[in-house]
C-alpha cells in the first residue's frame, strides 16, 4: 500500500471517529496494510475504549516496536496492564514512559497530531499506584515525592490527594489517557490528497475598465478572478496613482520631459498645470502631455459597462499649448504639492513599558495626544503616565521637547520609554525576597525557572497563587507554593 493510500484511509478513519462511529473507524484502521506507530496507537485506543484489553495490548506492542521513544504508547500499555491486574508490567511500562520523557516536565503531542499533553508528574503518580497495588508503599511514597518536583499548578491536587492516601495505605485513582483522542494525519498532507488541475481552464480576468480597449499597459491596475459581491471602489482608487484619462490624439514629444502617447492609451494625471499641460504616468514612465489631448475616464467597479472606453476622434488634434515657466507641472512641483496636501501622515511610536507596544499617531503630534493614546492603551489615568526619550528616564518630555523628538524620527518611527507613578512608588519600596522550596521548571515562555534554594526578588503579586519575580537574571511568574518569603531581618 502506498503512502497516499495509507494517508487517505487514516484520514477516513479519524473522520469516522470524530462522528463517534467507533466500529467503522476501527474497521478502516485494521484494513491498513502497513500501519505506522501512530496508527497502531489509535487502534489500541479504540480497542481499549471497547474494553478489548488483549487486542489493545497487541496494538500498543506494535506501536512501541515501530517507535521505541513514543512515551504515550508506553503510558497507554501501562494503563492496559493495570486494567488486566498485571501490576509489575504496568509499573515497568510507566517507568518506560517516564524514561522517554527525558527529565522533561511534559511532552505536548499537538505538533505530532495528537491533542494531548503527557505530564511527568502523572506518569510518576501511576507508577506509585502500581507499586501500591503490589504492597510497596514506601516506593509509592518515593515516586509521589519525586512527582512534586515535576508537578504543575494544574496537577497539584491529584499529587497531594495521592500522598495523603499512601500515608493511610489506601489506593487512589488511576490517571487515564482519554481513549477518544487519536493521532490525526498532517492536515497539509491531507489537503494534498485532493486532485488539482495545475494547468487550469481559460478564464477571463476582469479589468477595472469595463470593455477595456486601450493599447499598451496601464500601471498598477488591480485585476480579480471573480469580482467581489459588493464593489470596493475605495480600494481600487487607492491602488491607482492619479486620475485616469484616455488619450484622444497622438502626441509626439519635442523635449526630453514630454511623453509620447497614442489614441486609446490610458494615462494617469498626477498634476494639471494652469497652462493646459498635464504631468502624467504611463507604462511606469512620467512626463508632460497636453491636457486638451486627454479625456477623463471614470473608473468604478460599481459602474455600468459603457459601450466604449472613450470617444476616439478622427479629426485633427488641437494645437499644442504654450509652456509657461512656473505654470507647467513637473515632478519637483508635484513632490512639493504632496508635502503640502498630506501633512497628517501617520507615524508609529514604539513604547517601552513592562511590555513593548506601538501606537499610531499623526506625525508631529503633541505630548498631550501621545499621553491620551497611551492612557487608553494601559487603562490608566493620564496623570500617572510620564514619557522619556531614554531608557533610564532622565530626560522626561513635555510639549516643548516633543518638537525635537519628532525631528529625529526615522522612517516615520520614534521610540519612547514610559513609566507610571505606580512603578516609581514601587521602586521606592523596600525589595522583598523569596527562597525557593522546590525546583521549578518553566512549561511556558512567561514562567520563571529556578532550583531549590535559589533567591527570588519579588516584582509583583499576580494573584493569591502566582507571583512575578526575578532570579538569575531572568524574569517571569511562578507558583507561590514553590517559594517562601524571606524575613525582613534576613534580607
Amino acid at each position: 500500500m502506498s503512502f497516499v493510500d495509507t494517508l487517505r484511509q487514516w484520514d477516513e478513519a479519524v473522520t469516522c471517529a470524530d462522528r463517534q462511529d467507533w466500529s467503522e473507524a476501527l474497521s478502516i484502521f485494521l484494513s491498513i496494510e502497513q500501519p505506522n506507530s501512530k496508527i497502531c496507537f489509535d487502534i489500541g485506543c479504540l480497542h481499549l475504549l471497547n474494553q478489548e484489553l488483549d487486542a489493545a495490548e497487541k496494538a500498543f506492542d506494535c506501536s512501541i516496536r515501530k517507535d521505541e521513544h513514543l512515551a504515550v504508547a508506553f503510558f497507554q500499555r501501562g494503563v492496559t496492564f493495570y486494567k488486566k491486574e498485571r501490576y509489575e508490567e504496568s509499573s515497568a511500562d510507566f517507568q518506560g514512559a517516564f524514561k522517554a520523557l527525558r527529565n522533561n516536565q511534559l511532552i505536548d503531542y499537538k505538533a505530532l497530531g495528537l491533542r494531548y499533553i503527557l505530564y511527568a508528574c502523572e506518569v510518576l503518580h501511576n507508577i506509585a499506584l502500581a507499586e501500591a497495588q503490589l504492597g510497596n508503599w514506601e516506593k509509592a511514597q518515593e515516586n509521589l515525592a519525586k512527582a512534586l518536583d515535576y508537578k504543575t499548578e494544574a496537577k497539584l491536587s491529584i499529587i497531594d490527594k495521592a500522598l495523603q492516601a499512601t500515608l493511610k495505605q489506601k489506593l487512589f485513582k488511576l490517571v487515564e489517557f482519554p481513549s477518544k483522542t487519536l493521532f490525526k494525519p498532517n492536515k497539509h498532507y491531507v489537503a494534498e490528497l485532493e486532485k488539482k488541475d495545475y494547468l487550469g481552464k481559460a478564464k477571463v480576468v476582469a479589468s477595472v475598465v469595463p470593455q477595456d480597449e486601450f493599447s499598451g499597459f496601464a500601471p498598477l491596475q488591480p485585476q480579480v478572478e471573480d469580482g467581489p459581491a459588493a464593489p470596493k471602489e475605495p480600494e481600487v482608487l487607492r491602488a491607482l496613482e492619479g486620475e485616469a484619462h484616455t488619450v484622444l490624439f497622438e502626441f509626439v514629444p519635442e523635449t526630453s520631459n514630454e511623453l509620447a502617447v497614442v489614441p486609446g492609451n490610458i494615462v494617469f494625471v498626477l498634476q494639471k498645470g494652469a497652462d493646459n499641460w498635464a504631468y502624467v504616468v504611463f507604462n511606469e514612465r512620467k512626463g508632460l502631455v497636453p491636457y486638451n489631448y486627454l479625456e477623463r475616464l471614470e473608473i468604478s467597479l460599481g459602474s455600468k459597462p459603457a459601450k466604449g472606453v472613450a470617444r476616439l476622434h478622427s479629426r485633427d488634434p488641437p494645437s499644442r499649448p504654450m509652456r509657461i515657466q512656473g505654470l507647467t507641472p513637473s515632478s519637483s512641483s508635484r513632490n512639493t504639492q504632496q508635502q503640502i496636501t498630506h501633512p497628517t501622515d501617520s507615524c508609529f511610536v514604539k513604547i517601552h513599558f513592562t511590555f513593548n507596544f506601538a501606537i499610531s499617531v499623526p506625525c508631529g503630534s503633541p505630548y498631550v495626544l501621545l499621553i491620551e493614546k497611551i492612557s487608553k492603551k494601559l487603562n490608566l489615568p493620564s496623570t500617572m503616565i510620564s514619557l522619556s526619550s531614554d531608557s533610564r528616564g532622565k530626560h522626561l518630555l513635555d510639549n516643548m521637547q516633543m518638537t525635537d523628538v519628532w525631528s529625529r524620527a526615522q522612517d516615520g518611527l520614534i521610540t519612547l520609554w514610559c513609566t507610571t507613578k505606580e512603578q516609581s512608588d514601587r521602586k521606592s519600596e523596600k525589595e522583598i525576597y523569596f527562597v525557593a522550596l522546590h525546583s521549578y521548571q518553566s512549561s511556558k515562555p512567561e514562567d520563571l525557572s529556578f532550583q531549590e534554594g535559589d533567591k527570588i526578588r519579588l516584582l509583583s503579586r499576580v494573584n493569591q497563587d502566582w507571583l512575578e519575580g526575578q532570579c538569575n537574571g531572568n524574569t517571569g511568574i511562578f507558583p507561590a507554593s514553590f517559594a517562601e518569603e524571606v524575613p525582613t531581618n534576613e534580607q
Side-chain angles (χ1 to χ4, degrees), residues 24-262:
E24 181 64 20
L26 183 58
S27 174
I28 295 173
F29 271 130
L30 292 175
S31 67
I32 298 175
E33 295 178 3
Q34 295 177 334
N36 57 30
S37 60
K38 297 176 186 176
I39 294 174
C40 291
F41 178 88
D42 290 348
I43 294 171
C45 288
L46 293 177
H47 281 308
L48 201 57
L49 187 64
N50 296 331
Q51 297 299 317
E52 298 167 352
L53 301 182
D54 290 337
E57 179 188 340
K58 290 180 181 178
F60 292 130
D61 285 344
C62 180
S63 179
I64 292 170
R65 277 199 308 272
K66 292 176 181 289
D67 185 358
E68 59 184 13
H69 301 293
L70 193 61
V72 72
F74 280 101
F75 185 82
Q76 275 290 71
R77 193 172 68 175
V79 170
T80 306
F81 282 137
Y82 185 88
K83 291 186 174 184
K84 296 177 75 172
E85 298 184 3
R86 291 158 60 179
Y87 300 120
E88 288 185 3
E89 292 166 283
S90 176
S91 176
D93 266 351
F94 288 137
Q95 289 174 27
F98 182 74
K99 184 179 178 182
L101 277 159
R102 300 181 182 180
N103 292 325
N104 290 304
Q105 192 178 27
L106 55 88
I107 295 179
D108 189 346
Y109 284 97
K110 184 178 179 181
L112 297 178
L114 180 70
R115 290 188 172 275
Y116 182 71
I117 300 176
L118 180 64
Y119 291 92
C121 61
E122 291 184 334
V123 177
L124 289 165
H125 173 280
N126 282 3
I127 295 174
L129 178 59
E131 294 294 339
Q133 287 282 13
L134 295 170
N136 300 327
W137 293 101
E138 290 184 4
K139 284 187 177 182
Q141 290 177 12
E142 287 175 7
N143 282 288
L144 288 173
K146 191 175 180 181
L148 288 174
D149 293 333
Y150 290 91
K151 74 177 185 302
T152 62
E153 191 67 20
K155 305 298 179 182
L156 180 61
S157 59
I158 64 167
I159 304 300
D160 287 345
K161 289 178 182 178
L163 271 172
Q164 292 172 10
T166 54
L167 292 174
K168 299 175 184 179
Q169 293 195 357
K170 291 184 178 180
L171 297 175
F172 41 94
K173 190 176 179 182
L174 179 74
V175 175
E176 294 188 55
F177 176 90
S179 295
K180 295 181 181 180
T181 303
L182 304 176
F183 273 109
K184 295 185 177 180
N186 188 301
K187 59 182 181 181
H188 298 296
Y189 291 164
V190 173
E192 293 297 324
L193 292 176
E194 297 180 7
K195 292 183 179 181
K196 292 186 178 181
D197 183 7
Y198 289 99
L199 295 177
K201 297 179 181 179
K203 295 180 181 179
V204 176
V205 180
S207 170
V208 294
V209 183
Q211 297 187 5
D212 203 342
E213 296 177 2
F214 68 87
S215 61
F217 298 90
L220 210 59
Q221 295 189 23
Q223 298 180 345
V224 293
E225 289 187 1
D226 301 310
K232 296 186 178 181
E233 184 173 342
E235 293 182 12
V236 175
L237 297 181
R238 274 201 303 273
L240 303 175
E241 184 183 9
E243 294 182 349
H245 286 66
T246 303
V247 178
L248 302 178
F249 308 99
E250 182 179 4
F251 175 69
V252 180
E254 295 181 2
T255 63
S256 60
N257 57 355
E258 294 175 356
L259 190 63
V261 290
V262 296

Side-chain angles (χ1 to χ4, degrees), residues 336-365:
T336 305
Q337 186 189 39
Q338 282 183 333
Q339 292 173 1
I340 294 170
T341 57
H342 300 281
T344 56
D345 289 343
S346 294
C347 293
F348 286 99
V349 183
K350 182 179 180 182
I351 305 294
H352 289 275
F353 188 52
T354 54
F355 57 93
N356 295 341
F357 61 93
I359 59 174
S360 175
V361 296
C363 293
S365 296

Side-chain angles (χ1 to χ4, degrees), residues 399-417:
N399 278 323
M400 296 293 292
Q401 292 168 325
M402 279 307 299
T403 305
D404 181 54
V405 172
W406 282 115
S407 67
R408 298 197 301 271
Q410 296 182 353
D411 298 326
L413 174 68
I414 62 173
T415 302
L416 300 177
W417 280 259

